[in-house]
């Protein structure tokens, strides 16, 4: 048999080396595919590289561009732990190999084979092979290292790209699920294709129970109808998105909802994206701010008007008291006034009525000093109804009363509170008598759920309060009555009295028709007990004045027969 041809022998060695390199790379790729652990796969590859090239040790270093360092990712030497770092500009074997274009032999510190790992327009790292006792010839060694480094570079780059992709996907998913706004993506048939965690929590379902289902199953009727109002997806000229504030019972809140077309990479519409931000707290805060602003404006108007009215009332009160005093003297002690005494009495009554109006103005301006005592609001209501009984009978107004149990006392001025309730009753009488239904006034006294507030509710069967007048109903000199029927001070005075007692009064229209006034007064503490339903100190002088007034009580028989 003829001796083997040297060229043929070399080709056979190259083919055998190529097969072994391919087998190593196949096992490397299989290890990564099954575990997605690059470090373990590179450690195994380094060990097999020793067997292929007859090397003492082999190591794979990966380049981190951000910090310009090479990290030991895998080594066949078990004494060297992965994670060792060297600078890319250092004189180490890994750093020198990173700067090469093709594999090369290095003599520094023993013969080493340095093979650069290069990807698409970027350096990936270095394969360092320390030669052993049995080595291949240099050309075959360099060719084998080139094949191994080239295919290893492709595998490592693919793994790195996959890791970058998975990392970016995890980042996007985490960002998507970290949004507090509700986000749901639908296709052209309005079926859910994606949602974030906030939407899943709000509807009480995980992704498996939502994706693929019609979005209308998870939305209230108002939002669902608004979302699907447009036919199909965005056509030419359609706005980029729509925003609307909606209340959704299914999602449980008030939402600022925005729907925008979902456009693919070819600029074609493939669905829509709904973003719903829960603005329930903001809406409530805004409503409270508006209500506070209205109350503040009302208080400012009352304060400015009070200063003006107080001056006029004080100036009018002095001459009126003089007129009343002189009239009383004429009626009681002047014989010359005997023929005109009935006329003088009428003048006295009209002057006294004018004085009462002045006193009301002083109450409105807060000039009257209030004395707080413990009293019951139901008794105040009883006295108020009694004072209006004649007018109620004349207008044939039916009055119904309802009272809860355990009504606590309140702290306040009985006369002032009675005046406030009478003012509300007078308005209710007028409204009930001028309505189209049988005139009726409904009164309710109850305690709040927390037991801290006593509520007096007075409703009528009238036409209700016009919506445009409702915000101004407590303004001074504002009235919905006809000319000559009211001054517009009654409810303003009531508003001031209730506020002075630390309470509130609200006006609203009843669902069945008519108006309703709700007075809220704080319950009196148990330790604040002076008297129960005792009259204020101002009540005694007022009673004496009424007793002294002409025409009241027992009439004297001084007129000659």
């Amino acid at each position: 048999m003829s001796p083997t041809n040297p060229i043929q022998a070399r080709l056979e060695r190259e083919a055998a080396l190529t097969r072994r390199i391919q087998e190593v790379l196949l096992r490397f790729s299989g290890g990564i595919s099954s575990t997605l652990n690059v470090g373990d796969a590179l450690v195994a590859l380094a060990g097999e590289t020793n067997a292929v090239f007859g090397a003492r040790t082999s190591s794979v270093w990966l380049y981190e561009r951000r910090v310009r360092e090479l990290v030991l990712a895998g080594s066949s030497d078990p004494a060297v732990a992965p994670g060792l770092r060297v600078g890319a500009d250092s004189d180490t074997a890994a750093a020198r190999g990173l700067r090469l274009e093709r594999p090369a032999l290095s003599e520094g510190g023993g013969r080493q084979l340095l093979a650069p790992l290069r990807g698409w327009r970027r350096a990936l790292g270095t394969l360092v092979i320390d030669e052993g006792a049995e080595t291949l010839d240099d050309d075959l060694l360099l060719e084998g290292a080139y094949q191994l480094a080239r295919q290893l570079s492709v595998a490592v780059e693919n793994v790195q790209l996959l890791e970058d992709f998975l990392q970016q996907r995890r980042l996007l998913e985490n960002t998507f699920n970290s949004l507090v706004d509700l986000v749901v993506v639908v296709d052209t048939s309005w079926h859910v294709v994606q949602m974030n965690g906030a939407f899943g929590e709000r509807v009480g379902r995980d992704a498996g129970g939502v994706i693929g289902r019609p979005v209308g199953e998870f939305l209230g009727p108002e939002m669902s109808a608004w979302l699907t109002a447009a036919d199909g997806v965005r056509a030419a000229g359609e706005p980029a998105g729509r925003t609307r504030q909606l209340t959704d019972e299914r999602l449980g809140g008030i939402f600022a909802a925005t729907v925008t077309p979902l456009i693919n990479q070819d600029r074609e519409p493939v669905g829509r994206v709904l973003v719903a931000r829960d603005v329930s707290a903001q809406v409530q805060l805004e409503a409270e701010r508006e209500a506070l602003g209205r109350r503040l404006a009302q208080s400012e108007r009352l304060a400015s008007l009070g200063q003006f009215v107080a001056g006029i009332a004080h100036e009018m009160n002095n001459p009126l008291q003089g007129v009343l005093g002189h009239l009383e003297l004429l009626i009681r002690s002047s014989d010359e006034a005997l023929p005109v005494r009935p006329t003088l009495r009428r003048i006295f009554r009209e002057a006294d009525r004018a004085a009462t109006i002045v006193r009301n103005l002083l109450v409105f301006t807060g000039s009257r000093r209030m004395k707080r005592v413990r009293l019951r609001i139901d008794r105040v209501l009883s006295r108020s109804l009694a004072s209006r009984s004649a007018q109620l009978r004349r207008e044939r107004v039916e009055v119904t009363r309802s009272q809860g149990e355990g009504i606590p006392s309140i702290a306040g001025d009985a006369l002032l509170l009675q005046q406030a309730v009478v003012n509300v009753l007078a308005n209710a009488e007028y409204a009930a008598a001028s309505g189209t239904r049988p005139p009726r006034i409904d009164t309710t006294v109850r305690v709040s759920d927390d037991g801290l507030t006593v509520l007096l509710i007075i409703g009528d069967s009238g036409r209700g309060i016009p919506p445009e007048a409702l915000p101004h109903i407590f303004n001074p000199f504002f009235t919905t009555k006809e000319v000559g029927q009211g001054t517009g001070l009654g409810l303003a005075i009531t508003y001031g009295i209730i506020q002075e007692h630390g309470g509130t009064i609200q006006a609203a229209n009843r669902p069945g028709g008519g108006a309703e006034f709700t007075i809220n007064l704080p319950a009196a503490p148990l330790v604040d007990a002076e008297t129960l339903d005792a009259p204020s100190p101002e009540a005694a002088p007022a009673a004496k004045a009424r007793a002294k007034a002409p025409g009241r009580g027992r009439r004297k028989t001084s007129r000659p027969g």
Side-chain angles (χ1 to χ4, degrees), residues 51-371:
V52 171
F53 290 93
R56 294 193 310 273
T57 59
S58 299
S59 58
V60 180
W61 298 74
L62 297 182
Y63 178 50
E64 291 188 358
R65 182 180 302 274
R66 183 176 56 85
V67 294
R68 292 187 56 80
E69 289 181 345
L70 286 146
V71 181
L72 180 61
S75 174
S76 62
D77 186 355
V80 181
L84 180 66
R85 291 176 174 268
V86 296
D89 299 326
S90 64
D91 193 34
T92 59
R96 293 197 306 272
L98 183 67
R99 296 190 287 268
L100 297 175
E101 292 295 331
R102 293 180 62 87
L105 289 168
S106 173
E107 299 294 338
R111 277 173 58 90
Q112 290 179 317
L113 178 57
L114 308 180
L117 304 178
R118 294 194 169 275
W120 178 252
R121 295 184 178 180
R122 62 173 180 170
L124 300 177
T126 304
L127 173 62
V128 179
I129 303 174
D130 296 320
E131 286 189 301
E134 298 180 2
T135 62
L136 302 173
D137 59 81
D138 292 351
D139 292 338
L140 192 57
L141 189 65
L142 293 173
E143 181 62 27
Y146 174 75
Q147 292 185 26
L148 178 61
R150 181 170 58 84
Q151 297 186 49
L152 179 60
S153 298
V154 173
V156 169
E157 186 172 36
N158 288 339
V159 171
Q160 289 181 345
L161 291 175
L162 178 60
E163 286 182 342
D164 290 343
F165 171 77
L166 293 177
Q167 184 178 2
Q168 289 298 321
R169 179 173 179 176
R170 285 191 296 268
L171 178 62
L172 288 175
E173 287 179 350
N174 293 338
T175 303
F176 190 57
N177 289 317
S178 297
L179 295 174
V180 296
D181 296 343
L182 279 59
V183 183
V184 60
V185 184
V186 298
D187 57 19
T188 54
S189 60
W190 303 104
H191 285 73
V192 179
V193 296
Q194 189 58 274
M195 68 170 193
N196 70 339
F199 186 85
E201 290 178 5
R202 189 60 67 102
V203 301
R205 301 275 190 92
D206 57 11
V210 176
I211 293 178
R213 308 288 299 176
V215 70
E217 293 184 6
F218 311 101
L219 305 177
E222 186 180 2
M223 186 176 292
S224 181
W226 172 76
L227 181 62
T228 57
D231 244 351
V233 292
R234 187 176 70 168
E238 183 182 349
R242 295 176 293 149
T243 301
R244 184 176 175 184
Q245 184 170 298
L246 299 164
T247 300
D248 196 290
E249 298 83 4
R250 295 286 299 276
L251 296 178
I254 304 172
F255 295 89
T258 301
V259 58
T260 55
L262 179 64
I263 307 299
N264 64 9
Q265 65 271 17
D266 298 324
R267 307 302 300 168
E268 296 176 350
V270 293
R272 288 185 182 270
V273 180
L274 171 67
V275 180
R277 172 169 294 178
D278 193 337
V279 294
S280 303
Q282 293 92 317
V283 170
Q284 181 180 359
L285 183 62
E286 187 64 29
E288 293 175 354
R289 185 182 294 113
E290 290 180 1
L292 181 61
R294 288 194 296 268
R295 290 197 295 270
L296 180 60
Q298 174 77 358
S299 300
E300 290 176 349
R301 285 194 293 268
L302 291 175
S304 59
L305 186 62
Q307 293 177 356
F308 172 72
V309 172
I312 296 177
H314 280 293
E315 292 298 325
M316 291 179 63
N317 191 49
N318 293 331
L320 276 174
Q321 294 303 319
V323 169
L324 288 172
H326 283 85
L327 282 172
E328 188 173 2
L329 288 174
L330 283 172
I331 293 169
R332 292 183 179 277
S333 60
S334 176
D335 294 334
E336 291 81 1
L338 211 63
V340 292
R341 186 168 291 173
T343 302
L344 291 175
R345 288 197 181 102
R346 284 196 297 271
I347 296 173
F348 185 93
R349 284 195 295 269
E350 293 303 316
D352 186 57
R353 192 164 71 89
T356 301
I357 294 174
V358 171
R359 285 195 297 273
N360 287 342
L361 290 174
L362 292 175
V363 169
F364 170 70
T365 60
S367 300
R368 183 185 185 278
R369 187 173 179 271
M370 184 178 68
K371 175 65 175 177

Side-chain angles (χ1 to χ4, degrees), residues 358-416:
V358 171
R359 285 195 297 273
N360 287 342
L361 290 174
L362 292 175
V363 169
F364 170 70
T365 60
S367 300
R368 183 185 185 278
R369 187 173 179 271
M370 184 178 68
K371 175 65 175 177
R372 293 180 185 269
V373 295
R374 285 176 60 85
L375 52 88
R376 296 178 60 89
I377 193 64
D378 53 314
R379 296 185 182 179
V380 173
L381 175 62
S382 297
R383 288 194 292 269
S384 302
L385 288 171
S387 69
R388 301 294 302 180
S389 59
Q391 183 70 17
L392 290 169
R393 284 194 300 270
R394 187 180 306 114
E395 299 291 346
R396 297 181 180 179
V397 178
E398 177 189 359
V399 178
T400 66
R401 295 190 64 176
S402 173
Q403 182 169 328
E405 297 180 357
I407 305 298
S409 300
I410 61 172
D413 189 307
L415 291 180
L416 288 179

Side-chain angles (χ1 to χ4, degrees), residues 384-453:
S384 302
L385 288 171
S387 69
R388 301 294 302 180
S389 59
Q391 183 70 17
L392 290 169
R393 284 194 300 270
R394 187 180 306 114
E395 299 291 346
R396 297 181 180 179
V397 178
E398 177 189 359
V399 178
T400 66
R401 295 190 64 176
S402 173
Q403 182 169 328
E405 297 180 357
I407 305 298
S409 300
I410 61 172
D413 189 307
L415 291 180
L416 288 179
L417 286 175
Q418 181 176 339
Q419 182 177 0
V421 175
V422 166
N423 290 342
V424 177
L425 286 172
N427 279 273
E429 291 168 16
Y430 178 84
S434 59
T436 58
R437 297 181 296 168
R440 191 181 78 254
I441 295 177
D442 302 317
T443 65
T444 302
V445 177
R446 63 180 179 87
V447 64
S448 61
D449 295 337
D450 56 11
L452 301 178
T453 305

